[in-house]
CSV table of all heavy atoms in Angstrom, one decimal:
chain,number,residue,atom,x,y,z
C,20,ALA,N,153.7,67.9,-41.1
C,20,ALA,CA,154.5,68.0,-42.4
C,20,ALA,C,155.9,68.4,-42.1
C,20,ALA,O,156.5,69.4,-42.7
C,20,ALA,CB,153.8,69.1,-43.2
C,28,LEU,N,164.9,70.4,-40.7
C,28,LEU,CA,164.7,70.0,-39.4
C,28,LEU,C,165.0,71.2,-38.4
C,28,LEU,O,166.0,71.9,-38.6
C,28,LEU,CB,165.5,68.8,-39.0
C,28,LEU,CG,165.2,67.5,-39.8
C,28,LEU,CD1,166.0,66.3,-39.3
C,28,LEU,CD2,163.7,67.2,-39.8
C,29,SER,N,164.2,71.3,-37.4
C,29,SER,CA,164.5,72.3,-36.3
C,29,SER,C,164.9,71.6,-35.1
C,29,SER,O,164.8,70.3,-35.0
C,29,SER,CB,163.2,73.1,-36.0
C,29,SER,OG,162.3,72.3,-35.1
C,45,VAL,N,153.5,64.9,-37.3
C,45,VAL,CA,152.2,65.1,-37.8
C,45,VAL,C,151.4,66.1,-37.0
C,45,VAL,O,150.7,67.0,-37.5
C,45,VAL,CB,151.4,63.8,-37.9
C,45,VAL,CG1,149.9,64.0,-38.3
C,45,VAL,CG2,152.1,62.7,-38.7
C,56,ASP,N,140.4,74.7,-40.2
C,56,ASP,CA,140.6,75.3,-38.9
C,56,ASP,C,140.2,76.8,-38.9
C,56,ASP,O,139.5,77.2,-38.0
C,56,ASP,CB,142.0,75.1,-38.4
C,56,ASP,CG,142.4,73.6,-38.2
C,56,ASP,OD1,141.4,72.8,-38.0
C,56,ASP,OD2,143.5,73.2,-38.3
C,93,TYR,N,152.2,80.3,-47.1
C,93,TYR,CA,151.7,81.3,-46.1
C,93,TYR,C,151.0,82.4,-46.8
C,93,TYR,O,150.1,83.0,-46.2
C,93,TYR,CB,152.9,81.8,-45.2
C,93,TYR,CG,153.3,80.6,-44.4
C,93,TYR,CD1,154.5,79.8,-44.7
C,93,TYR,CD2,152.5,80.2,-43.3
C,93,TYR,CE1,154.8,78.7,-43.9
C,93,TYR,CE2,152.9,79.0,-42.5
C,93,TYR,CZ,154.0,78.3,-42.9
C,93,TYR,OH,154.3,77.2,-42.2
C,125,GLY,N,173.9,78.0,-32.4
C,125,GLY,CA,172.6,78.6,-32.1
C,125,GLY,C,172.8,80.0,-31.6
C,125,GLY,O,173.6,80.8,-32.2
C,135,TYR,N,169.0,85.6,-38.5
C,135,TYR,CA,167.6,86.0,-38.1
C,135,TYR,C,167.2,87.3,-38.8
C,135,TYR,O,166.1,87.5,-39.3
C,135,TYR,CB,167.5,86.2,-36.6
C,135,TYR,CG,166.1,86.7,-36.1
C,135,TYR,CD1,165.1,85.7,-36.0
C,135,TYR,CD2,165.9,88.0,-35.7
C,135,TYR,CE1,163.8,86.1,-35.6
C,135,TYR,CE2,164.6,88.4,-35.3
C,135,TYR,CZ,163.6,87.5,-35.2
C,135,TYR,OH,162.4,87.9,-34.8
C,193,ALA,N,164.5,93.1,-35.4
C,193,ALA,CA,163.2,92.9,-35.9
C,193,ALA,C,162.3,94.2,-35.8
C,193,ALA,O,161.6,94.6,-36.7
C,193,ALA,CB,162.5,91.7,-35.2
C,211,ASN,N,156.8,85.3,-21.7
C,211,ASN,CA,155.9,84.8,-20.8
C,211,ASN,C,156.1,85.6,-19.5
C,211,ASN,O,157.2,85.5,-18.9
C,211,ASN,CB,156.3,83.3,-20.5
C,211,ASN,CG,155.4,82.6,-19.5
C,211,ASN,OD1,155.3,83.1,-18.4
C,211,ASN,ND2,154.8,81.5,-19.8
C,236,ASN,N,161.5,88.3,-15.7
C,236,ASN,CA,160.5,89.2,-16.4
C,236,ASN,C,161.2,90.5,-16.9
C,236,ASN,O,161.3,90.8,-18.1
C,236,ASN,CB,159.4,89.6,-15.4
C,236,ASN,CG,158.6,88.4,-15.0
C,236,ASN,OD1,158.2,87.6,-15.8
C,236,ASN,ND2,158.2,88.4,-13.7
C,246,GLY,N,165.3,99.8,-23.5
C,246,GLY,CA,166.7,99.8,-24.1
C,246,GLY,C,167.8,99.8,-23.1
C,246,GLY,O,168.8,100.4,-23.3
C,265,ILE,N,175.7,96.8,-22.8
C,265,ILE,CA,175.3,96.9,-24.2
C,265,ILE,C,176.5,97.4,-25.0
C,265,ILE,O,177.1,98.4,-24.7
C,265,ILE,CB,174.1,98.0,-24.3
C,265,ILE,CG1,172.9,97.4,-23.6
C,265,ILE,CG2,173.8,98.2,-25.8
C,265,ILE,CD1,171.7,98.3,-23.5
C,270,THR,N,174.6,100.2,-29.3
C,270,THR,CA,173.9,101.2,-28.5
C,270,THR,C,172.8,101.9,-29.3
C,270,THR,O,171.7,102.0,-28.8
C,270,THR,CB,174.9,102.2,-27.9
C,270,THR,OG1,175.8,101.4,-27.1
C,270,THR,CG2,174.2,103.2,-27.0
C,338,LEU,N,143.9,85.7,-10.3
C,338,LEU,CA,144.1,87.0,-9.7
C,338,LEU,C,145.5,87.5,-10.1
C,338,LEU,O,145.8,88.7,-10.3
C,338,LEU,CB,143.9,87.1,-8.2
C,338,LEU,CG,144.1,88.4,-7.5
C,338,LEU,CD1,143.1,89.4,-8.1
C,338,LEU,CD2,143.9,88.3,-6.0
C,350,ARG,N,154.8,99.7,-15.6
C,350,ARG,CA,156.3,99.8,-16.0
C,350,ARG,C,156.4,100.3,-17.4
C,350,ARG,O,157.4,101.1,-17.7
C,350,ARG,CB,156.9,98.4,-15.9
C,350,ARG,CG,157.1,97.9,-14.5
C,350,ARG,CD,157.8,96.5,-14.5
C,350,ARG,NE,159.2,96.7,-14.9
C,350,ARG,CZ,160.2,96.8,-14.1
C,350,ARG,NH1,160.0,96.8,-12.8
C,350,ARG,NH2,161.4,96.9,-14.5
C,360,ASN,N,147.1,82.0,-23.0
C,360,ASN,CA,146.5,81.8,-21.7
C,360,ASN,C,145.6,80.6,-21.9
C,360,ASN,O,144.7,80.6,-22.8
C,360,ASN,CB,145.8,83.0,-21.2
C,360,ASN,CG,145.0,82.8,-19.9
C,360,ASN,OD1,143.8,82.9,-19.9
C,360,ASN,ND2,145.7,82.5,-18.9
C,384,LYS,N,137.1,81.8,-18.0
C,384,LYS,CA,136.2,82.8,-17.5
C,384,LYS,C,136.9,83.6,-16.3
C,384,LYS,O,136.9,84.8,-16.3
C,384,LYS,CB,135.0,82.1,-16.9
C,384,LYS,CG,134.0,83.1,-16.4
C,384,LYS,CD,132.7,82.4,-16.0
C,384,LYS,CE,131.7,83.3,-15.4
C,384,LYS,NZ,130.5,82.7,-14.9
C,388,THR,N,137.9,87.5,-16.5
C,388,THR,CA,137.4,88.4,-15.5
C,388,THR,C,138.5,89.3,-15.0
C,388,THR,O,138.4,90.5,-14.8
C,388,THR,CB,136.7,87.6,-14.4
C,388,THR,OG1,135.6,86.8,-14.9
C,388,THR,CG2,136.2,88.5,-13.3
C,406,TRP,N,145.4,80.2,-25.6
C,406,TRP,CA,146.1,79.0,-26.0
C,406,TRP,C,145.2,77.8,-25.6
C,406,TRP,O,144.9,77.6,-24.4
C,406,TRP,CB,147.4,78.9,-25.3
C,406,TRP,CG,148.3,77.8,-25.7
C,406,TRP,CD1,148.5,76.5,-25.2
C,406,TRP,CD2,149.3,77.9,-26.9
C,406,TRP,NE1,149.4,75.8,-25.9
C,406,TRP,CE2,149.9,76.6,-26.9
C,406,TRP,CE3,149.6,78.8,-27.8
C,406,TRP,CZ2,150.9,76.3,-27.9
C,406,TRP,CZ3,150.5,78.6,-28.7
C,406,TRP,CH2,151.1,77.3,-28.8
C,407,SER,N,144.6,77.1,-26.6
C,407,SER,CA,145.0,77.2,-28.0
C,407,SER,C,143.8,77.0,-28.9
C,407,SER,O,142.7,76.6,-28.4
C,407,SER,CB,146.0,76.0,-28.3
C,407,SER,OG,145.4,74.8,-27.9
C,413,SER,N,151.6,69.3,-26.7
C,413,SER,CA,152.2,70.1,-25.6
C,413,SER,C,153.7,69.9,-25.6
C,413,SER,O,154.2,68.8,-25.8
C,413,SER,CB,151.6,69.6,-24.3
C,413,SER,OG,152.4,69.8,-23.2
C,414,VAL,N,154.4,71.0,-25.3
C,414,VAL,CA,155.9,70.8,-25.3
C,414,VAL,C,156.3,69.8,-24.2
C,414,VAL,O,157.1,69.0,-24.4
C,414,VAL,CB,156.5,72.2,-24.9
C,414,VAL,CG1,158.0,72.1,-24.5
C,414,VAL,CG2,156.4,73.1,-26.1
C,423,GLY,N,143.0,72.9,-26.6
C,423,GLY,CA,142.2,73.5,-27.7
C,423,GLY,C,140.8,73.9,-27.3
C,423,GLY,O,140.1,73.3,-26.4
C,432,ASP,N,149.9,58.1,-29.8
C,432,ASP,CA,150.5,57.3,-30.8
C,432,ASP,C,149.6,56.7,-31.9
C,432,ASP,O,150.0,56.0,-32.7
C,432,ASP,CB,151.2,56.1,-30.1
C,432,ASP,CG,150.3,55.4,-29.1
C,432,ASP,OD1,149.0,55.7,-29.2
C,432,ASP,OD2,150.7,54.8,-28.2
C,455,ASN,N,131.0,90.5,-26.2
C,455,ASN,CA,132.2,91.3,-25.9
C,455,ASN,C,132.6,91.2,-24.4
C,455,ASN,O,133.0,92.2,-23.8
C,455,ASN,CB,132.0,92.7,-26.3
C,455,ASN,CG,133.3,93.5,-26.4
C,455,ASN,OD1,134.3,92.9,-26.9
C,455,ASN,ND2,133.4,94.7,-25.9
Side-chain angles (χ1 to χ4, degrees):
L28 299 183
S29 80
V45 176
D56 294 337
Y93 292 100
Y135 180 76
N211 176 308
N236 299 318
I265 293 172
T270 303
L338 182 60
R350 292 180 68 93
N360 174 243
K384 181 176 180 185
T388 302
W406 189 264
S407 55
S413 154
V414 166
D432 48 18
N455 195 42

